[in-house]
Amino acid sequence: QVQLVESGGGLVQAGGSLRLSCAPSGRTFGSLGWFRRAPGKEREFLAAITWSGGSTYYADSVKGRFTISRDNAKNTVSLQMDGLKPEDTAVYYCTARTSVVLAILAQDYAYWGQGTQVTVSS
């Protein structure tokens, strides 16, 4: 059974940092990504990484503030979020696909976690 288990969400003040982690299991993945959905908005791509960790890609909206990485020892993928803003408040989702080609469209990902809430207060 494929599972993507996210952790690390919570409440933080503007300017603060959070680190989200995703623990995938159940099969071999080629690449993973992070999306978010804010209230009343469409799901938004944030970042993607190959399972090997060799390639990454970021949305312009988070480039320079968010960092996606692969922890080989823990077999997890993390999203380090710095300089958080109130507009970063959303439910954050880890997602995975079997292809090693990085994708930015939600429809290209077959596997999704349950989501973790991130709230940034002003």
Side-chain angles (χ1 to χ4, degrees):
Q1 181 182 0
V2 173
Q3 281 190 309
L4 300 174
V5 180
E6 300 113 332
S7 61
L11 174 65
V12 64
Q13 289 188 329
S17 299
L18 278 176
R19 187 177 183 87
L20 306 182
S21 290
C22 174
S25 63
R27 70 165 301 158
T28 301
F29 299 104
S31 55
L32 290 90
W34 285 95
F35 284 72
R36 68 185 178 190
R37 175 171 281 172
K41 294 189 176 182
E42 297 291 321
R43 192 162 33 182
E44 177 188 9
F45 167 80
L46 301 175
I49 188 169
T50 52
W51 185 241
S52 67
S55 297
T56 59
Y57 186 79
Y58 295 91
D60 288 341
S61 60
V62 302
K63 196 176 296 181
R65 294 194 300 129
F66 292 8
T67 303
I68 190 170
S69 62
R70 167 96 165 84
D71 187 325
N72 291 326
K74 296 181 179 180
N75 210 36
T76 60
V77 172
S78 297
L79 186 69
Q80 175 67 37
M81 306 185 294
D82 300 316
L84 285 164
K85 308 172 183 178
E87 51 263 44
D88 293 318
T89 295
V91 178
Y92 284 68
Y93 297 91
C94 175
T95 185
R97 62 199 301 252
T98 56
S99 172
V100 298
V101 176
L102 299 181
I104 66 171
L105 298 179
Q107 64 194 45
D108 291 330
Y109 289 89
Y111 307 99
W112 292 82
Q114 79 286 356
T116 184
Q117 177 70 44
V118 171
T119 302
V120 184
S121 63
S122 57

